[in-house]
Amino acid sequence: MFNGIIFNTGLIKSIKKSKKSKLIGIKSNLRFKKSDLGTSISCSGVCLTLSKIEKELIFFYISNETIKR
């Protein structure tokens, strides 16, 4: 359960779709290190797990089950 304070915003820059999931890339002022992979972040009330970092984009894997909910 997320119980933190939301303190940053970002813009969705990419969405890669597959049959079972989506990978979204968000541009944000937040900076992460490779060791932060697996960190949970609340995004519009949904707790997402950081799965990839690429320059100024952070990526989150979203399963179809999450999308349905």
Side-chain angles (χ1 to χ4, degrees):
M1 178 179 189
F2 178 76
N3 63 2
I5 296 171
I6 298 171
F7 62 93
N8 204 324
T9 59
L11 296 172
I12 295 176
K13 291 294 196 174
S14 70
I15 300 173
K16 295 181 183 177
K17 299 176 185 180
S18 72
K19 285 186 176 186
K20 296 184 179 184
S21 66
K22 291 185 173 118
L23 185 69
I24 60 168
I26 298 176
K27 182 177 179 181
S28 173
N29 291 334
L30 292 174
R31 295 294 169 241
F32 294 96
K33 305 176 293 253
K34 295 288 181 188
S35 61
D36 293 324
L37 292 174
T39 298
S40 289
I41 297 171
S42 175
C43 183
S44 295
V46 176
C47 201
L48 301 176
T49 302
L50 180 64
S51 61
K52 183 178 169 185
I53 304 166
E54 194 174 275
K55 297 182 182 176
E56 59 188 25
L57 296 179
I58 52 178
F59 290 86
F60 300 94
Y61 168 87
I62 304 174
S63 71
N64 283 342
E65 185 66 25
T66 298
I67 293 166
K68 280 192 248 180
R69 305 271 172 214

